Amino acid sequence: MRANILSNSLSSICILRLSAIGDVCHAVSAVQAIQRAHPQAKITWVIGKVEAMLLAGLPGVELVVFDKKQGKAALKALKAKFKGQKFDVLLHMQVALRANLVARVIPAKQKIGFDKGRSKELHSLFINKRIAAQQSPHVLEGFQNFARAIGAECEKPSWNMPVTDDHKASAKALLPEGKIFVISPAASKAERNWLPERYAALADHAMKSGFNVVITGGPTELEQNLAADIQKHTQSALLNLVGKTDLKTLLCILEQADVVLAPDTGPAHMAVTVNTPVIGLYAHSNPKRTGPYLYQDYVVEVYHKNLVAQKGKTADELPWGTRVKGRELMSQIEVADVIAMFDRVVKEQELNS
């Protein structure tokens, strides 16, 4: 049964979206649309441990952390947390099996999940209502339909991200004066990363165009090594902040940037929440589904040609979200195309300023 709860009587709403960074950024805009529609409702969000570090202090939302590394103990703790409660509605925004098991221990009168076309990993067994089906939606638009299911209006998304003046000051102290070009080069899987010498070529071009270039990322070995490789190939000095910021300070760095370059990775979507233009690099997944939402016109992609080469059909002829495979796909993205996009973005920003 499709959900359509238009009542203003909702007093308690639970959001279930555990991961990942980009997805919870998309979800924030839907949650804040729900807050505008139901200002009287208490909102609880069950969320992953890392993701909670970014969203801690989200206005009007209680974050309940589910640490997947704790396994069954985490489920037991969550069940104890909600003992004696019953939410008016659970918005179950994740189809992964782990999330479905979490939904099972969250008490709610109604549990709203995805439409049949997007249900998998037994998702349908853990819900009793569904959002409306959508034709070729972006991930963010899917979350918007959860908000619509309980009477919220969703137009152009907006975000109120929880950062303090201290986070902003920390970011400002790390950055040089002048125009800032941020490269956030690492995705969660190495095959989705562009080549270090090509990131370096963009860095050199940006420097010649009057920008300071900053590399950002987390403390993992993959990210540290990629940043070091980029530095080896550049002709000028870069500011390497990989592993040197927490998520909130990183968000503020992205906010203070003029342009961001990133593959399919969380910081690309973080930048969107603070209205910083993002040049997205895509090969394996459809940027119309997972690209930087407000800046899809700035994507440089080889996804569609590889989809046709591998499947013999276009995205419109295949199940929405079909991925393509190959370790070398990102190497098909040419430096000249990304430089042309960089120049376009800079020009458009100058015209709009």
Side-chain angles (χ1 to χ4, degrees), residues 59-319:
V61 178
E62 178 190 9
L63 298 182
V64 175
V65 175
F66 179 83
D67 186 356
K68 63 183 181 182
K69 292 182 179 179
Q70 295 181 5
K72 292 182 179 179
L75 287 171
K76 186 177 180 180
L78 194 64
K79 188 174 183 179
K81 165 73 177 176
F82 294 140
K83 186 177 181 180
Q85 297 185 57
K86 195 156 196 176
F87 295 100
D88 289 329
V89 63
L90 167 66
L91 302 182
H92 183 4
M93 296 181 172
Q94 192 160 352
V95 297
L97 181 59
R98 179 184 288 112
N100 291 327
L101 295 176
V102 171
R104 184 172 178 267
V105 303
I106 299 175
K109 297 173 186 175
Q110 298 189 72
K111 296 187 177 184
I112 302 175
F114 282 99
D115 54 278
K116 288 185 178 179
R118 284 175 284 180
S119 293
K120 58 183 179 180
E121 299 197 40
L122 305 179
H123 183 71
S124 298
L125 300 180
F126 300 92
I127 60 174
N128 51 31
K129 290 188 181 294
R130 299 180 183 276
I131 62 170
Q134 295 164 287
Q135 186 69 34
S136 306
H138 190 280
V139 171
L140 182 146
E141 293 164 349
F143 294 154
Q144 286 181 325
N145 253 19
F146 280 91
R148 293 188 183 100
I150 57 172
E153 294 184 3
C154 297
E155 297 178 358
K156 183 178 179 180
S158 60
W159 293 264
N160 177 16
M161 298 297 282
V163 295
T164 66
D165 288 342
D166 286 344
H167 293 119
K168 293 179 180 180
S170 295
K172 186 174 182 180
L174 289 169
L175 295 173
E177 295 290 332
K179 295 187 292 184
I180 303 294
F181 176 46
V182 167
I183 299 176
S184 184
S188 58
K189 296 181 179 179
E191 67 180 18
R192 297 183 189 176
N193 297 337
W194 206 28
L195 305 181
E197 61 270 24
R198 299 190 186 181
Y199 281 125
L202 261 294
D204 289 335
H205 177 76
M207 288 180 191
K208 291 175 183 176
S209 302
F211 284 79
N212 298 290
V213 179
V214 180
I215 307 178
T216 62
T220 67
E221 185 178 359
L222 183 151
E223 290 169 281
Q224 298 277 10
N225 290 341
L226 180 55
D229 285 344
I230 293 170
Q231 286 186 292
K232 288 178 185 176
H233 287 92
T234 56
Q235 298 174 6
S236 307
L238 308 179
L239 176 58
N240 184 356
L241 296 181
V242 172
K244 298 178 181 177
T245 62
D246 59 27
L247 283 169
K248 288 180 180 291
T249 304
L250 173 58
L251 181 62
C252 293
I253 286 171
L254 295 169
E255 183 176 22
Q256 293 179 37
D258 295 276
V259 187
V260 172
L261 174 67
D264 188 2
T265 185
H269 306 293
M270 290 169 62
V272 172
T273 70
V274 290
N275 298 302
T276 298
V278 181
I279 301 170
L281 305 179
Y282 280 72
H284 296 87
S285 59
N286 191 339
K288 295 294 184 183
R289 180 179 177 273
T290 62
Y293 188 75
L294 298 180
Y295 304 104
Q296 293 187 63
D297 286 348
Y298 295 161
V299 166
V300 181
E301 58 89 14
V302 293
Y303 166 81
H304 286 92
K305 74 175 186 180
N306 280 289
L307 186 69
V308 172
Q310 291 187 15
K311 306 292 184 180
K313 296 180 179 179
T314 66
D316 292 336
E317 298 170 313
L318 291 163

Side-chain angles (χ1 to χ4, degrees), residues 14-79:
C14 186
I15 310 296
L16 172 55
R17 181 71 211 191
L18 301 176
S19 61
I21 290 292
D23 290 326
V24 300
C25 285
H26 297 322
V28 166
S29 64
V31 170
Q32 292 179 336
I34 290 167
Q35 289 178 300
R36 293 190 290 271
H38 299 282
Q40 77 290 345
K42 180 179 185 296
I43 296 181
T44 302
W45 187 338
V46 181
I47 191 169
K49 184 177 179 179
V50 173
E51 293 74 15
M53 294 177 186
L54 175 63
L55 298 190
L58 193 67
V61 178
E62 178 190 9
L63 298 182
V64 175
V65 175
F66 179 83
D67 186 356
K68 63 183 181 182
K69 292 182 179 179
Q70 295 181 5
K72 292 182 179 179
L75 287 171
K76 186 177 180 180
L78 194 64
K79 188 174 183 179

